[in-house]
């Protein structure tokens, strides 16, 4: 490794700002940002990842595609690759883009390319790709996110928009000063808050959560997992059954109603539809949603439910719902029921009260950096109106022309011929991976830019090697971050890897779009340009940032702190006539005539208890949550992630009694299975989780082999839970990702252990 021996360089990442340098011995050394009170354990993955054997060295083309041209998708993920020159690879990509748009129209190009690529405002991979595809005539886009794509469809119907709760949340400081009780449905998992899209400099959340202990704020933490509960004396764990939160919430609402603890004035002046909901709570469908009814479903004693409801009504209460709860079947309901509780308490718009969404899910919710705009790369305009809800990718590839519902509209899947993915990993993020493999057989061509041989790269036809952030220059800052960071180059590009910008410039030139794509700027000139424009915008609002050269030399600039942090919905609360919500009624819609009018049985017009899936053959609830040891699939080959594996497999956590029933001991390799597929995992026993619940985080690199226990079945030798989870939407309303849960069975695996091939590069020939 060469580049910057000895000198510490500044950079940032989704898991925080840090410093890096190469040592005399050529090793990469990493140090947290000096202002970071809680550096992320994910930093431990960086050094082992950047030069790992799974880096993509050179452009590579799948053998069958190279020999026979577009099509024959059965070979994807199975055939060898052939390394080719950059010129050959770029000619193939540009030629294929041009063929597809001429023969099938730009709608046949899928450029959604969802994923977390890298931090950095310029080399933001999706923006780069979208900019090129827009210039080339457009593409079918994807809408929404796997993170909170259900809430972003539902909340506009209920609160008028989703952004207010997602991005303008009350800060931890406001909560410490005003709140008596936080009821956190879905937990407050510290493992998650080291991540903020675009990065963070201070990682304030862990400190803030501990400080809440000192300020007397009580935390009622509702989750099946004890590990989601902050270790603070004022935090109480309410160990609910998975997929039962809506029952608990309705039980709490019933107690508030029948004990007259609800705020009828606020419900009349600021909400609509409470009457309908009240009738439902009292049994309009034949079932009274009382505390006993709720207790049977959620597993908490009825008395405790009633006591909690009374406690909620006796002071300032923040009802917060984690993003994980909407990443489930019927994931609209816990979000809507959370708003219902907050509305009944009458505290929406009061500091430290009302409804929160995503505290403990991600770093920026609750942090207090300024809400300033950040520099961004202009993407241009996409003239193609077609899109798919992001989590419907497999359906779209498998069923072109099929119609489906989405948020009140009847849509049709386009006929996708070319899939272009840069900066995301659908074989990480999507569900039912055996089905996704079949879907990926369909298009004529799959192009992927990747740093590493991820499962998606392995299922592509043309793989273009991308640099990592440490191998280029950028500038970065996340939502509610305190600094903008100059991201200096630390390493030379690996092997033949190029920046996504350089790759796309090569494609653009071949399509005659080179000048329009680059506007004649080098990456450094783009950085200076984007920074300069942003600096001018800040100057308009009275903030003086240093000039680019100063900023670049200093390595960072501290953003001006915000003096006040307005509470979300405070203006609406003060005067709902003058500042109504953006809902049809201008009020909080506890019953939505619009949603009811869509007539979806899986998403009725008000928060509703819909029975969760049950499966006698697969009696355990699997929670497939975010990994504490990496960001999704990124860094799985690094030290923090590898250090947690058991027997080379991803750890699965079981209750000791559930393990004993199955003859499973600590450290055993187990087979986890559903009817869709199976995976191996390493058993870790923990009595700090509910019985009947097992936890297997996402992100182990997919290593498919034939299941030795089920001929023809797919088994992931490494422990990727998405081979188990059904590819079903939350509902016809949001068509959101429902990846958080599935029913599984677990057994000890004593057979010969298959190798984890995903941790080595695939077979590659040189041309
Ligand atoms: N079962 C289950 N599944 C889930 C979830 C869950 O809770 N349970 N969570 C879901 C959620 S919330 C999300 S957001 C998704 C995340 O899904 P993804 O965002 O798709 O997952 P990542 O592993 O972060 O993929 C980003 C990819 O970008 C690549 N990359 C990094 N830098 C660069 C670069 O500069 N250029 C290029 N070309 N590539 C780069 C990385 O190598 C990596 O493979 O997963 C979803 N899937
Ligand atoms: N370390 C790390 N942090 C991350 C990420 C990462 O990959 N690694 N990814 C980031 C991203 S992209 C996102 S979108 C956010 C996601 O943020 P979330 O979606 O909130 O995170 P998860 O870890 O999936 O789930 C949080 C907790 O919800 C609880 N839970 C699951 N099912 C239920 C249930 O039915 N009821 C209740 N009450 N609780 C339940 C689980 O115990 C779980 O630990 O995380 C971000 N933070
Ligand atoms: Mo996410």
């Amino acid at each position: 490794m060469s580049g910057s021996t000895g000198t510490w360089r500044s950079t940032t990442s989704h898991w925080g700002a840090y410093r890096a340098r190469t040592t005399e011995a050529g090793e990469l050394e990493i140090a947290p940002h000096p202002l970071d009170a809680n550096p992320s354990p994910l930093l431990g993955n960086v050094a082992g990842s950047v030069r790992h054997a799974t880096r993509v060295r050179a452009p590579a083309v799948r053998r069958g595609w190279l020999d026979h041209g577009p099509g024959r998708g059965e070979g994807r993920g199975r055939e060898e690759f052939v390394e080719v020159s950059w010129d050959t690879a770029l000619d193939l990509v540009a030629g294929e883009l041009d063929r597809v748009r001429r023969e099938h129209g730009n709608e046949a190009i899928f450029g959604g390319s969802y994923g977390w690529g890298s931090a950095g405002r310029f080399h933001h991979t999706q923006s780069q790709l979208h900019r090129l595809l827009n210039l080339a005539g457009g593409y079918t886009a994807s809408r929404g996110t796997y993170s909170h794509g259900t809430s972003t469809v539902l909340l506009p119907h209920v609160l008028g928009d989703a952004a207010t709760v997602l991005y303008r949340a009350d800060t931890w400081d406001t909560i410490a000063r005003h709140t008596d009780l936080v009821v956190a449905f879905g937990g407050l998992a510290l493992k998650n808050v080291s991540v903020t899209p675009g990065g963070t400099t201070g990682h304030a959340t862990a400190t803030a959560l501990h400080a809440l202990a000192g300020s007397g704020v009580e935390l009622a933490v509702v989750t099946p997992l004890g590990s989601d509960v902050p270790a603070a004396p004022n935090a109480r764990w309410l160990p609910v059954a998975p997929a039962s939160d809506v029952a608990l919430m309705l039980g709490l609402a019933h107690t508030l109603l029948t004990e007259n603890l609800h705020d009828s004035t606020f419900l009349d002046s600021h909400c609509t539809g409470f009457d309908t909901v009240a009738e439902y709570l009292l049994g309009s469908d034949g079932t009274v949603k009382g505390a006993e009814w709720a207790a049977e479903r959620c597993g908490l004693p009825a008395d405790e439910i009633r006591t909690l409801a009374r406690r909620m009504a006796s002071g300032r209460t923040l009802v917060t719902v984690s993003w994980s709860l909407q990443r489930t079947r019927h994931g609209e309901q816990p979000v809507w029921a959370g708003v219902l509780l907050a509305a009944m308490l009458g505290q929406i718009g009061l500091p430290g009260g009302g409804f929160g969404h995503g505290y403990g899910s991600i770093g920026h919710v609750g942090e207090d950096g300024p809400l300033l705009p950040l520099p961004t790369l202009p993407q241009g305009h996409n003239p193609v109106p077609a899109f798919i809800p992001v989590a419907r990718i497999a359906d779209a590839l498998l069923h072109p022309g099929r119609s489906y519902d989405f948020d009140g509209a009847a849509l049709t899947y386009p006929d996708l011929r070319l899939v272009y993915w840069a900066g995301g990993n659908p074989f990480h993020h999507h569900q039912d991976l055996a089905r996704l493999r079949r879907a990926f057989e369909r298009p004529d061509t799959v192009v992927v830019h990747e740093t590493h041989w991820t499962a998606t790269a392995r299922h592509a036809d043309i793989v273009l090697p991308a640099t990592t952030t440490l191998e280029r220059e950028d500038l970065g800052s996340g939502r509610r971050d305190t600094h903008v960071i100059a991201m200096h180059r630390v390493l030379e590009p690996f092997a033949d890897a190029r920046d996504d910008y350089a790759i796309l410039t090569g494609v653009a030139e071949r399509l005659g779009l080179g000048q329009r794509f680059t506007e004649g700027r080098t990456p450094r000139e783009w950085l200076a340009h984007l920074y300069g424009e942003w600096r001018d915008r800040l100057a308009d609002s009275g903030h003086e940032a240093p000039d680019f050269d100063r900023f670049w030399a200093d390595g960072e600039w501290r953003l001006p702190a915000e003096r006040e942090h307005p509470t979300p919905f405070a203006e609406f609360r003060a005067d709902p006539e003058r500042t109504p919500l953006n809902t049809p009624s201008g009020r909080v819609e506890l019953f939505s005539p619009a949603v009811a009018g869509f007539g979806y049985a899986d998403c009725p017009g008000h928060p509703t208890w819909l029975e969760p899936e049950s499966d006698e053959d697969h009696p355990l609830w699997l929670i497939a949550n975010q990994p504490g040891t990496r960001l999704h699939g990124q860094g799985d080959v690094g030290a923090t992630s590898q250090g947690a594996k058991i027997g080379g497999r991803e750890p699965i956590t079981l209750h000791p009694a559930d393990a004993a029933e199955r003859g499973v001991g600590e450290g055993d390799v187990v087979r986890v299975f559903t009817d869709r597929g199976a995976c191996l995992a390493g058993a870790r026993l923990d009595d700090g989780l509910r019985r009947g619940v097992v936890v297997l985080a996402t992100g182990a690199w997919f290593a498919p082999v034939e299941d030795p226990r089920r001929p023809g079945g797919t088994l992931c030798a490494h422990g990727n839970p998405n081979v188990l989870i059904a590819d079903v939407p939350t509902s016809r309303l949001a068509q959101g990702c429902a990846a958080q849960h599935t029913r599984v069975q677990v057994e000890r695996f004593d057979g010969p252990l298959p190798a984890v091939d995903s941790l080595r590069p695939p077979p590659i020939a040189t041309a």
Side-chain angles (χ1 to χ4, degrees), residues 462-519:
I462 305 177
V463 180
L464 304 175
T467 53
T468 64
T469 49
L470 291 174
E471 297 158 353
R472 60 192 186 219
E473 295 181 341
D474 211 328
L475 51 92
S477 184
R479 226 179 267 285
R480 310 221 78 160
D481 203 346
T482 50
H483 291 67
V484 188
I485 305 285
M487 299 167 67
H488 291 163
R489 177 185 291 126
V490 182
L491 300 170
E492 292 302 317
F494 174 73
D496 278 346
R498 292 185 181 176
D499 298 351
D500 294 291
Y501 176 68
I503 300 171
L504 294 167
T505 299
V507 178
E509 282 165 352
R510 285 163 174 78
L511 295 172
L513 300 166
Q515 176 61 28
R516 290 174 67 199
F517 182 71
T518 64
E519 296 178 21

Side-chain angles (χ1 to χ4, degrees), residues 423-434:
N425 185 354
F427 279 85
H428 161 75
H429 63 235
H430 201 58
Q431 286 59 64
D432 198 346
L433 294 177

Side-chain angles (χ1 to χ4, degrees), residues 560-581:
E562 210 133 299
R563 251 167 285 134
E564 280 172 62
H565 297 285
T567 282
F569 305 114
E571 288 187 344
F572 163 67
R573 181 181 186 88
D575 191 344
E577 281 306 320
R578 276 190 46 209
T579 42
L581 299 181

Side-chain angles (χ1 to χ4, degrees), residues 114 116 145-148 323 327 362 626 632:
Y114 179 76
W116 272 59
T145 62
Y146 281 71
S147 307
H148 43 58
W323 295 351
R327 207 176 304 112
I362 203 130
Q626 304 287 14
H632 317 130

Side-chain angles (χ1 to χ4, degrees), residues 48-363:
S49 298
V50 279
R51 289 295 185 261
H52 190 262
T54 51
R55 278 297 296 271
V56 184
R57 303 188 59 86
V61 184
R62 175 171 67 89
R63 168 70 72 189
W65 199 98
L66 190 64
D67 292 348
H68 306 287
R72 285 178 202 77
E74 320 77 65
R76 290 193 185 112
R78 295 170 177 93
E79 289 169 8
E80 67 169 2
F81 285 88
V82 183
E83 283 185 355
V84 299
S85 70
W86 269 111
D87 272 341
T88 305
L90 294 170
D91 286 348
L92 291 174
V93 172
E96 184 58 3
L97 271 173
D98 193 44
R99 180 191 73 84
V100 170
R101 68 177 175 174
R102 276 188 291 103
E103 289 179 10
H104 305 282
N106 279 76
E107 190 182 288
I109 299 168
F110 181 66
S113 191
Y114 179 76
W116 272 59
S118 56
R121 312 299 307 177
F122 172 62
H123 292 287
H124 182 258
T125 323
Q126 277 76 27
S127 306
Q128 292 279 354
L129 176 63
H130 295 162
R131 180 175 166 87
L132 172 80
L133 293 178
N134 285 337
L135 287 171
Y139 61 95
T140 291
S142 60
R143 184 169 297 176
T145 62
Y146 281 71
S147 307
H148 43 58
T150 298
S151 295
T152 45
V153 175
L154 174 76
L155 286 175
H157 293 289
V158 178
L159 292 172
D161 72 82
T164 304
V165 290
L166 290 174
Y167 306 134
R168 315 189 82 85
D170 260 343
T171 63
W172 293 113
D173 179 57
T174 302
I175 294 168
R177 283 186 290 119
H178 295 276
T179 309
D180 298 303
L181 170 67
V182 177
V183 186
F185 293 95
L188 292 167
L190 279 180
K191 71 174 174 58
N192 282 14
V193 298
S194 69
V195 168
T196 294
T200 187
T201 308
H203 281 118
T205 293
T207 311
L209 269 175
H210 287 120
L212 283 186
S215 59
V217 182
E218 255 186 81
L219 308 175
V221 188
V222 182
T223 164
L225 310 186
S227 55
D228 288 345
V229 184
N234 56 339
R236 202 153 54 86
W237 179 25
L238 303 177
V240 283
S244 72
D245 298 79
V246 175
L248 171 58
M249 289 163 161
L250 294 175
L252 292 166
H254 182 272
T255 302
L256 293 176
L257 175 66
T258 54
E259 299 192 2
N260 203 22
L261 299 171
H262 59 303
D263 185 338
S264 331
T265 313
F266 183 83
L267 288 165
D268 284 346
S269 55
H270 288 75
C271 307
T272 62
F274 182 67
D275 291 352
T276 311
V277 180
E279 284 165 22
Y280 173 70
L281 292 173
L282 297 172
S284 59
D285 63 346
T287 304
V288 178
K289 313 300 175 308
E292 274 77 16
W293 170 87
E296 270 172 41
R297 281 153 189 82
C298 76
L300 300 180
D303 278 346
E304 202 173 331
I305 298 173
R306 277 188 286 262
T307 308
L308 177 61
R310 291 172 196 140
R311 177 83 191 82
M312 288 167 78
S314 70
R316 183 67 53 82
T317 297
L318 177 69
V319 177
T320 178
V321 176
S322 68
W323 295 351
S324 55
L325 295 198
Q326 50 92 66
R327 207 176 304 112
T328 61
R329 293 188 193 197
H330 309 132
E332 293 83 357
Q333 304 311 316
V335 177
W336 208 344
V339 175
L340 167 68
L341 280 175
M344 290 178 77
L345 296 172
Q347 298 180 9
I348 292 175
L350 288 180
F355 176 72
H357 195 24
Y359 288 97
S361 294
I362 203 130

